[in-house]
C-alpha cells in the first residue's frame, strides 16, 4: 500500500514502489522512481530524472536531483541522479544532478548523509559512506566504500577519497586521500592508518598491519615515491589492500595529500 499525504504533489509519471510513504508538502517530479518501503517524511523535493532505491528514510527539507550549480550547465540539458538502497538522508541535505548531457551523480547503498551535507554534480559516492553534519563534497569527487567525511569538512573538485578513509572534521581536502588512511588539517594531510574504521569494517589484524607498514614505506622513510612504490610491491606482492593504495597513487590526478613532518611523531606509537 502506498501512502501519499493529501498535501503532497506527485507527478503522474513518477513510479512509486510498494509501501512507500510520501509525507506532507513533498514534491515528486516526472521521470522519477522511488523504490519500495522508502519514506519521504515531509517537505522533500525530488526533481526529474532522479531514482531512489528501496528502504530509504529521507527527512524534511531534502533536495534530490536538483539542477547542478555548475555555471557550465546548459539550460534544458537532461542529467540524472541515482540513489541506492537503505540510505538515511537527514534534514536539509542537497544532492545535485550531473552537469553535462546524460551525466549523473550517484550514491551507493547503506549511506548516511547527515544534516546539511551537500553532494555536488557528477559525484560518485560508494556504499556505507558517512558524510557528517555540514560536510561538503564538490563536483566530480569520488568517495570510496566506507569513507567517512567529518562534520564541516570540505572536499575540492575531482578529488578521490579512498575506501575506508576518514576525513577529520573541518578539514579542507585539496588532494587525494589514499584508502585506509585518516586525513586532517587545513589543507588536509594523511596522518595515520584508519585502524578503527578497518576494525569496524571487518578487516583482520594482518590486513591492518600490511596497510600500516606500506604507509610507512611510502611516506615515512624519506624515499622517493617511485622507489617506495617498488619496495611496497616487493614486500606485499599478494596484498589486495596494499594494491588498492598503489592503484590510487597511480590514478591520482590531483596529487596526494602527503603527510607532514609531525606525522612521523604520530606514527611512532602506532
Amino acid at each position: 500500500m502506498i501512502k501519499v499525504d493529501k498535501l503532497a504533489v506527485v507527478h503522474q509519471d513518477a513510479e512509486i514502489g510498494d509501501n512507500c510513504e510520501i509525507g506532507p508538502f513533498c514534491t515528486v517530479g516526472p521521470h522519477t522512481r522511488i523504490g519500495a518501503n522508502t519514506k519521504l517524511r515531509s517537505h522533500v523535493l525530488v526533481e526529474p530524472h532522479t531514482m531512489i532505491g528501496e528502504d530509504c528514510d529521507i527527512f524534511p527539507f531534502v533536495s534530490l536531483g536538483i539542477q547542478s550549480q555548475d555555471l557550465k550547465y546548459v539550460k534544458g540539458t537532461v542529467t540524472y541522479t541515482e540513489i541506492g538502497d537503505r540510505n538515511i538522508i537527514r534534514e536539509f541535505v542537497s544532492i545535485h544532478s550531473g552537469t553535462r548531457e546524460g551525466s549523473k551523480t550517484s550514491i551507493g547503498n547503506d549511506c548516511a548523509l547527515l544534516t546539511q551535507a551537500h553532494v555536488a554534480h557528477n559525484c560518485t559516492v560508494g556504499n556505507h559512506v558517512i558524510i557528517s553534519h555540514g560536510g561538503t563534497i564538490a563536483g566530480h569527487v569520488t568517495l570510496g566504500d566506507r569513507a567517512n567525511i567529518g562534520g564541516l569538512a570540505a572536499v575540492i573538485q575531482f578529488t578521490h577519497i579512498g575506501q575506508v578513509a576518514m576525513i577529520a572534521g573541518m578539514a579542507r581536502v585539496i588532494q587525494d586521500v589514499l584508502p585506509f588512511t585518516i586525513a586532517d588539517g587545513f589543507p588536509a594531510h594523511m596522518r595515520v592508518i584508519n585502524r578503527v574504521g578497518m576494525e569496524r569494517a571487518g578487516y583482520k589484524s594482518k590486513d591492518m598491519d600490511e596497510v600500516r607498514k606500506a604507509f610507512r614505506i611510502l611516506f615515512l622513510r624519506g624515499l622517493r615515491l617511485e622507489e617506495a612504490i617498488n619496495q611496497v610491491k616487493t614486500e606485499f606482492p599478494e596484498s589486495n589492500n596494499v594494491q588498492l593504495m598503489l592503484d590510487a597513487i597511480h590514478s591520482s590526478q590531483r596529487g596526494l595529500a602527503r603527510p607532514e613532518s609531525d606525522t612521523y611523531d604520530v606514527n611512532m606509537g602506532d
Side-chain angles (χ1 to χ4, degrees):
M1 180 179 177
I2 300 172
K3 298 180 181 178
V4 179
D5 190 275
K6 64 181 180 180
L7 297 177
V9 177
V10 179
H11 195 277
Q12 62 182 2
D13 292 336
E15 298 180 26
I16 310 298
D18 293 339
N19 300 315
C20 282
E21 295 184 30
I22 300 178
F25 304 106
C26 292
T27 301
V28 181
H31 311 296
T32 55
R33 184 173 71 241
I34 300 177
N37 306 308
T38 285
K39 182 176 183 178
L40 278 59
R41 292 181 178 239
S42 71
H43 298 84
V44 176
L45 173 64
V46 182
E47 285 283 89
H49 307 291
T50 298
M51 312 302 169
I52 303 172
E54 299 181 355
D55 300 296
C56 293
D57 193 357
I58 303 175
F59 283 68
F61 302 103
V62 168
S63 299
L64 302 177
I66 202 164
Q67 177 185 313
S68 162
Q69 294 182 114
D70 189 343
L71 298 180
K72 296 188 297 295
Y73 177 83
V74 177
K75 186 177 181 179
T77 299
V78 176
T79 60
Y80 300 89
T81 305
E82 296 180 1
I83 299 169
D85 301 330
R86 299 177 301 279
N87 291 301
I88 298 172
I89 304 178
R90 294 301 304 250
E91 300 90 329
F92 294 99
V93 165
S94 54
I95 301 174
H96 287 184
S97 187
T99 292
R100 297 187 182 277
E101 181 73 34
S103 67
K104 69 179 180 181
T105 298
S106 64
I107 310 289
N109 303 321
D110 302 292
C111 298
L113 277 62
L114 306 189
T115 304
Q116 295 181 333
H118 172 63
V119 179
H121 62 90
N122 299 101
C123 285
T124 301
V125 176
N127 302 316
H128 299 278
V129 170
I130 298 173
I131 305 178
S132 294
H133 184 118
T136 299
I137 311 302
H140 300 279
V141 166
T142 298
L143 302 183
D145 292 347
R146 297 187 183 276
N148 190 327
I149 309 299
L152 303 177
V155 182
I156 200 170
Q157 293 90 339
F158 295 98
T159 304
H160 285 218
I161 308 297
Q163 179 175 316
V164 200
M166 181 175 182
I167 306 301
M170 295 190 288
R172 177 168 66 95
V173 183
I174 61 174
Q175 290 180 301
D176 293 349
V177 175
L178 294 186
F180 313 115
T181 64
I182 296 176
D184 181 24
F186 195 86
H189 295 274
M190 289 179 282
R191 300 277 283 170
V192 292
I193 294 302
N194 186 12
R195 176 177 286 274
V196 172
M198 293 185 73
E199 288 176 348
R200 290 175 177 174
Y203 288 88
K204 299 178 181 178
S205 295
K206 178 177 180 291
D207 299 323
M208 291 181 277
D209 288 342
E210 289 176 345
V211 167
R212 186 183 69 254
K213 291 175 182 177
F215 179 79
R216 287 176 170 174
I217 294 170
L218 288 168
F219 301 114
L220 304 182
R221 292 187 180 175
L223 302 174
R224 291 188 303 109
L225 185 58
E226 182 179 359
E227 182 181 357
I229 289 172
N230 290 332
Q231 185 171 334
V232 167
K233 288 180 178 179
T234 300
E235 293 199 22
F236 307 102
E238 298 181 356
S239 173
N240 292 331
N241 299 317
V242 171
Q243 188 59 51
L244 281 176
M245 299 174 74
L246 297 180
D247 290 344
I249 292 173
H250 290 309
S251 63
S252 176
Q253 296 180 352
R254 293 206 63 91
L256 303 176
R258 298 192 185 205
E260 293 183 300
S261 58
D262 59 356
T263 297
Y264 293 78
D265 297 331
V266 173
N267 281 271
M268 287 299 291
D270 182 18

